[in-house]
Structures are given as structure tokens and as C-alpha cells.
Amino acid sequence: MREMLTDGPLDVLTGDYLAELTMLILARDRLKDPSLGYARTFLRQLEECLGLALERGVRIVVNAGGLNPARLADAVRELAKSQGLDPAVGHVEGDDLLPRREELGFPEGLLAANAYLGAFGIAECLRSGADVVVTGRVTDAALVAGPAVAHFGWGAGDLDALAGAVVAGHVLECGAQATGGNYAFFREHDVTRPGFPLAELHADGSSVVTKHPGTGGAVTVGTVTAQLLYETGGPRYLGPDVTARLDTVRLTGDGPDRVRIGGVRGEAPPATLKVGLNRLGGHRNEVVFVLTGLDIEAKAALVRRQFEDGLAADRRPAELRWTLARTDHADAATEEAASALLRLTARDGDPARVGRELGRVAVEMGLAGYPGFHLTAPPGPGAPYGVFEAAYLAAGEVEHTAVLPDGRRVAVPPAPVTATVQEEQDEQWEEEQGDEQVDPGPTRRAPLGLVAGARSGDKGGDANLGVWARDEPGWRWLSRTLTTELLRELLPETAELPITRHLLPNLRAINFTITGLLGEGVAAQHRFDPQAKALGEWLRSRRLDIPEALL
């Protein structure tokens, strides 16, 4: 926060503190203490930087209110008073639907139920003179679109402008991911300490993404493309204020560390709001066996037989999942390099079934198992895990409210015009392109990552995987070659799952949604990489026949 305030000019400083997993963490905080439920890290940052922001005339907009934005707004006022400051503080509420669970027909056992609100409540607070605006669960992009609405005076009908601001907000929402963080071609830039991105917004909704001079990392068409593909799906990016057409986005270089975003078209938003539902899914535990040297597969089979035979039938967990990671190397120079990891994950609604019982069986095997038996750590008592689900509710059912600095409450109406959104499929485009026979010339077996970038992530239990080419020849080859069938071959974990493929030619990109890869979401720890963060890098490491002209 200090870097952003001191390293260059800024009108509005935004901060995105919420994710699906964060909401679950905040919900558990609130269970322990009803006065909590907000991101306390924001207050620690503000303690150092509030006076500096007020001195420089920089307004602050954050969603750090989490499940308790009113309490965080009060905490900001208390902090300011202790420093002899008097900022105008507003907040946005109405997203918390847990008190209305029965009325709305949500299931029992929820820890949190929050609608994703839009930009206009934030804009109301800013128009009333707020120096600091805190919200609960708004869309990540609303943190940028709200200040733009307030500054330019846009209304609900300015769909193209709103869509442009939403796209800019999506680029900024994950901070340094737009300036070289987590970037496929990281070796091309110094990303030791990437700076944070900022957007210069214009009245027509276009923007330039850049960063403060002298900060690390880089802003390029590639880094911005990567972030645009992150956790999105098809060409329509749905939001409460506007549906942004990602297939209309055009990125152009605008000088060193400057990328212009233009051409974004907007459509009416859907009539429903997304609602994030968080609940406890049960309890989980894991035991990791280290298998060293020869006969790895046979050792793994022995572990499974002994462990499952040792479990009492009436204490057996509902789910036992075994995963063997062949991290071992033949004739290795170190013991660790000669070892593989066999991971057992257990889940059950009864914590006792994944606690001492698992530890008992594992320990009893210690002197009666495979040669070289040991574990990465002693088995623990197990822990609860959460589940995230998305529901949808008519926008008019949600009481979106801006609470102004003077205490007045302003109701924010839902979008006046909505549209029924149908997901577009690309089969026709793919079929037309596939009919055109193109001779790629000589090919060579090589990793896909030599010619394509990728960025992946999670949306509940689904994984998003965006892949882009760096030039037009690469795009022509990639768009014809990387089909859903080939993806299943390259990533066998996806073979039995539904996959949706979307083409974004302006970005030279393909976006895949892999349904169910992450089970019940990140908190359930369904797989080795529970948020699919490295799924794209796995794909880039896979080898296929690539035209030598591209290499």
C-alpha cells in the first residue's frame, strides 16, 4: 500500500481481499467472535498509510469488509481517531444473505451466503464524498468500476464503458499477476519483486494498464493477456452491472510497461446475481508414506493392502484416496531424489474416523511394512474442511445498500435492463477451421510451452485453463491443434470430465473450463494442486508435434 501511494500519482487505491476460501476463513472467525468477519490485514496496512493517503488526496476502495463491512467501517473510524485524522468513511452492505437462509431456500449448515454486488453502491459512497469505502462481497472488478462510475457519471445504460472498466478491474484484481507474477515466460523479465499494476481509465471505458516507474516486473501484452484469461470462461464475462464481451477486447502496446485495452463491448447483465455459499463439508486427514529405491509400485501396493486391512470396518472413513507421486530417480545421488511419495487422503463427516484411527494404523505398520518405512510427518488429528457452492438469485431479492459517511442509507436498484445469457459454444467455428487443410511443414516433438503461454485457476469445483499463442502463425496452429480431445490426452486427469472450449481470437487464446476437476473446491483439498494454479504449467510441459517454423 505504501509503495502504491509513494511511487507515483494515484487517484484511487483499490484492494481485493476476498476469495472463495477467504470467505470461509472469515466465517469461522465470525463464529468465534461475532464482531469479526473482516480482513484484519487491511487495518494493519491502513495504520501505516491512512494519513499518507489523505495527505495525497487518494481515495481508498476495498472489499476487506468481508462478512462485516459495517464493523470494519467503524474500526477504520476508530483507527483514524487514534491518529488524529477524520476521514469520511462509507460502506456497502446487503450482500450477506445468511440471516435470510430459510426465506431464500438455501440449505442448512451454511457458514456464509453472500451475493456478488456491483459497482453502483461504491459509486454512491464516493459521490457523497467518502475518502474510504469498504464493502463486503462485491465482484472483484467492481472495486475499479465503482470509482469509474463515480468519476465519469456513467449510468446503467453505458454498457460499453462499464464493460471496459470491468475488464480493467479484472486485470488489476490479482495485483502483480498483471506485472509478471506467475507469468509463463517469467525468464524474459526481472520478476524478483514485481510492482503492482494500475489503470488509467478514460471516459469511454478504455484504459491503459501500467505500473509506477522504477517498480519491478513488466506490463506487456502477454502479462495482461494472461490475467484476462485467469478464472474466466467463455466470451461473455457476466457481472451484476454488465456482461463484458471478452471476445471484443483488443490489447495494444502503448510504450514501455503500457498496454492499452480498447474495443470492449458490453451487453445487459443477467437478471440474477451469483451467490457464494460456504459450509463445512466434513473432516479430512492425510498420511504421506515415503517409498525409497527399488520396487516403488510393489511397495505402494503393500502399503494399501496393509493399511486397508488394518482399519476396523466400523471405523473406516467414507472416502480413502491414494495418490502415488513418482518423484524418485534411478541411481539417485541423494536419498530424497531416490524417493517417491504415496499420499493417503481420508474424508468423513465424523472427525473420529479421520483422526486417531488413521494414526493408529499407520504407526502399527512401522515395523511390519515395506523396507525403509517412514512418513513425512506423524499423522495429526485431522481437520474440518469447507465446501464452496454457487447459487443464483433474482437481483431484486438482494438489498444492495450504500451507507454514506453521514449515516444515510441509499438503496441501490438492480440493473434496469437484463438479458438471458446463453453460453456460446465454438463447435461451428472449430469445424469450419478444421476443414481447411494446412500443411504445417516439418514438425518436432517438443513441449507446448515453447510456443504457448498458459494461466490456470479455480472457480469452485471447476478449473479454468487459458492458453495463448504469442503471434498469428502460432495462433493459427494452436486454434486448430489444441482441441478438447488433445487436452484429454495431454492431461489424463481430465479424461473423464466435461470440458468446455472457448476461442478468443482477439487475444489469440483458448479458454477451457474443466468441470469437477477440483471436487468440492479449494477448501476440500480434492487434489494435489487444489486450486489448479499449476495446471497450465503442467500442460506447457507436455510434448507434442510442433511445426519447426514455430520453434
Side-chain angles (χ1 to χ4, degrees):
M1 187 181 287
R2 173 170 286 278
E3 178 182 296
M4 291 303 292
L5 289 169
T6 58
D7 284 1
L10 210 61
D11 296 302
V12 180
L13 177 66
T14 66
D16 175 18
Y17 291 77
L18 302 183
E20 292 167 1
L21 181 60
T22 317
M23 298 298 280
L24 179 65
I25 294 169
L26 295 178
R28 294 179 67 180
D29 281 353
R30 186 171 62 175
L31 280 177
K32 299 172 187 173
D33 183 346
S35 70
L36 297 179
Y38 56 85
R40 286 172 281 177
T41 50
F42 168 66
L43 278 180
R44 291 198 290 271
Q45 293 169 311
L46 199 64
E47 186 175 11
E48 178 187 0
C49 295
L50 178 58
L52 182 61
L54 294 174
E55 176 187 321
R56 295 187 171 222
V58 179
R59 304 167 97 176
I60 296 173
V61 179
V62 297
N63 59 11
L67 304 179
N68 204 344
R71 177 66 192 102
L72 178 57
D74 286 340
V76 170
R77 295 184 186 98
E78 292 164 8
L79 170 65
K81 185 177 180 180
S82 72
Q83 296 183 340
L85 303 172
D86 186 27
V89 182
H91 73 272
V92 177
E93 59 184 39
D95 60 297
D96 186 359
L97 303 178
L98 192 60
R100 300 170 58 198
R101 182 194 65 77
E102 292 188 17
E103 170 198 342
L104 297 174
F106 294 151
E108 295 183 4
L110 293 178
L111 295 179
N114 295 81
Y116 287 70
L117 304 180
F120 283 86
I122 294 170
E124 284 285 351
C125 290
L126 291 172
R127 279 195 289 254
S128 73
D131 300 302
V132 180
V133 180
V134 298
T135 77
R137 179 72 276 185
V138 297
T139 65
D140 303 336
L143 300 171
V144 172
V149 168
H151 183 81
F152 296 114
W154 298 335
D158 294 311
L159 296 177
D160 290 347
L162 287 168
V166 163
V167 169
H170 181 66
V171 172
L172 298 189
E173 71 175 62
C174 287
Q177 278 196 176
T179 58
N182 302 344
Y183 183 51
F185 304 104
F186 70 97
R187 295 172 65 185
E188 298 178 355
H189 309 284
D190 180 3
V191 294
T192 305
R193 189 179 184 277
F196 277 70
L198 59 91
E200 301 168 356
L201 292 170
H202 303 288
D204 63 354
S206 64
S207 62
V208 172
V209 178
T210 183
K211 62 187 184 69
H212 286 322
T215 55
V219 178
T220 69
V221 169
T223 66
V224 174
T225 297
Q227 180 56 26
L228 278 176
L229 296 174
Y230 181 63
E231 295 182 347
T232 58
R236 287 182 164 89
Y237 185 65
L238 308 184
D241 304 313
V242 65
T243 295
R245 290 295 300 253
L246 297 182
D247 55 350
T248 64
V249 176
R250 293 193 177 276
L251 304 179
T252 53
D254 194 54
D257 291 318
R258 294 177 62 84
V259 173
R260 183 171 295 277
I261 301 176
V264 186
R265 300 300 302 274
E267 298 174 345
T272 57
L273 296 183
K274 179 180 175 180
V275 181
L277 305 178
N278 283 279
R279 61 179 172 82
L280 287 181
H283 291 75
R284 71 181 296 280
N285 203 349
E286 69 176 34
V287 184
V288 181
F289 300 85
V290 182
L291 315 176
T292 304
L294 305 177
D295 304 319
I296 296 295
E297 299 285 345
K299 289 172 179 173
L302 176 59
V303 170
R304 292 189 61 167
R305 290 199 308 272
Q306 289 187 316
F307 195 95
E308 295 188 18
D309 184 64
L311 281 171
D314 62 343
R315 306 296 291 169
R316 186 182 182 89
E319 178 186 350
L320 289 176
R321 185 186 182 97
W322 295 91
T323 307
L324 176 59
R326 293 301 302 267
T327 52
D328 54 304
H329 300 268
D331 194 22
T334 66
E335 182 178 335
E336 185 174 7
S339 300
L341 299 177
L342 178 63
R343 185 185 310 273
L344 167 64
T345 303
R347 290 188 178 84
D348 200 285
D350 181 356
R353 291 178 183 267
V354 297
R356 295 184 62 183
E357 178 71 1
L358 261 64
R360 177 190 67 78
V361 177
V363 169
E364 288 180 358
M365 291 168 56
L367 301 181
Y370 61 90
F373 180 102
H374 68 284
L375 309 173
T376 57
Y385 69 88
V387 172
F388 173 87
E389 296 171 312
Y392 295 87
L393 189 68
E397 293 286 326
V398 177
E399 299 173 357
H400 186 176
T401 303
V403 183
L404 307 185
D406 62 5
R408 285 181 296 138
R409 303 175 63 85
V410 177
V412 179
V417 178
T418 60
T420 301
V421 179
Q422 296 180 346
E423 285 293 325
E424 291 189 352
Q425 302 294 326
D426 296 303
E427 284 84 352
Q428 182 179 357
W429 194 96
E430 293 172 21
E431 182 179 344
E432 293 169 355
Q433 297 298 312
D435 288 343
E436 181 183 343
Q437 298 299 316
V438 178
D439 182 6
T443 62
R444 175 157 44 98
R445 200 79 175 165
L448 176 62
L450 296 183
V451 297
R455 173 68 63 76
S456 55
D458 64 315
K459 278 294 181 186
D462 301 339
N464 150 249
L465 172 55
V467 188
W468 77 94
R470 309 190 80 186
D471 54 34
E472 278 302 315
W475 165 242
R476 288 194 294 271
W477 172 80
L478 184 70
S479 61
R480 292 179 175 87
T481 303
L482 192 55
T483 61
T484 55
E485 292 74 17
L486 180 58
L487 187 73
R488 294 180 200 278
E489 286 182 38
L490 296 174
L491 305 182
E493 286 184 37
T494 71
E496 305 301 321
L497 298 173
I499 299 177
T500 306
R501 178 184 191 257
H502 296 285
L503 297 169
L504 299 170
N506 282 4
L507 300 177
R508 301 188 187 120
I510 307 171
N511 227 358
F512 295 97
T513 299
I514 305 166
T515 303
L517 181 68
L518 307 179
E520 295 177 301
V522 55
Q525 298 282 308
H526 178 74
R527 66 190 294 271
F528 167 68
D529 175 15
Q531 288 184 281
K533 295 292 189 182
L535 189 68
E537 287 302 291
W538 178 27
L539 176 64
R540 293 181 69 240
S541 74
R542 297 309 309 266
R543 293 175 177 266
L544 66 164
D545 295 325
I546 300 175
E548 289 188 352
L550 299 180
L551 295 168

